């Protein structure tokens, strides 16, 4: 994936690969430092979308109805989603789960992570659909896990 930055010399928009620390402008040879990525404050639920104007990946607070791109100033409508994310309590893999689920089972290590520390006395079936992956032959493979959660006593 590529990101964009404005040249500190001639103010041209420069594309660079993620992870770069500096970008050298092909027009004026100015070296522009890349700022470190900003992380959301702890506890803030964030979502992502790709800008319809310049294809930049944008991060925004979940629940926002629109997001203005800081690169091209396009106003993007935020999709309505019933999916949330949490890190596995054991292996730290990012898991997707439907809003309202009390817990989610990790497809990697099978650990059950409580969501928001809620405890329920009834069992509940949880379906986790992670992003699709590509197998050795280049075919898209769906990554779905179904688990049953119960309250630990």
């Amino acid at each position: 994936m590529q990101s964009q930055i404005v040249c500190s010399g001639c103010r041209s928009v420069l594309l660079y690969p993620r992870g770069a620390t500096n970008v050298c402008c092909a027009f004026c040879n100015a070296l522009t430092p890349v700022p470190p990525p900003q992380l959301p404050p702890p506890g803030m639920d964030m979502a992502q979308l790709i800008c319809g104007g310049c294809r930049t990946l944008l991060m925004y607070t979940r629940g926002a109805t629109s997001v203005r791109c800081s690169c091209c100033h396009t106003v993007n409508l935020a999709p309505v989603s019933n999916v949330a994310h949490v890190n596995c309590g054991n292996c730290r893999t990012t898991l997707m789960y439907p809003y309202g689920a009390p817990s989610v089972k990790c497809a990697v290590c099978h650990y059950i992570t409580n969501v928001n520390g809620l405890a329920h006395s009834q069992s509940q079936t949880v379906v986790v659909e992670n992003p699709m992956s590509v197998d050795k032959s280049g075919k898209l493979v769906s990554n779905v896990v179904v688990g049953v959660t119960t309250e630990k006593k």
Side-chain angles (χ1 to χ4, degrees), residues 56-132:
T56 298
L57 181 65
L58 305 174
M59 247 181 130
Y60 64 95
T61 305
R62 190 173 303 281
T65 56
S66 62
V67 182
R68 181 183 299 270
C69 178
S70 60
C71 296
C72 71
H73 304 293
T74 298
V75 176
N76 298 270
L77 293 178
V80 177
S81 174
N82 291 327
V83 178
H85 299 82
V86 68
N87 288 334
C88 173
N90 184 47
C91 70
R92 308 304 297 160
T93 298
T94 300
L95 306 173
M96 292 173 62
Y97 67 95
Y99 272 118
S103 59
V104 62
K105 184 174 182 179
C106 179
V108 176
C109 71
H110 307 292
Y111 183 84
I112 297 174
T113 302
N114 286 333
V115 178
N116 296 328
L118 299 176
H120 293 268
S121 59
Q122 299 177 354
S123 65
Q124 180 175 1
T125 303
V126 178
V127 178
V128 179
E129 184 175 3
N130 288 306
M132 295 179 85

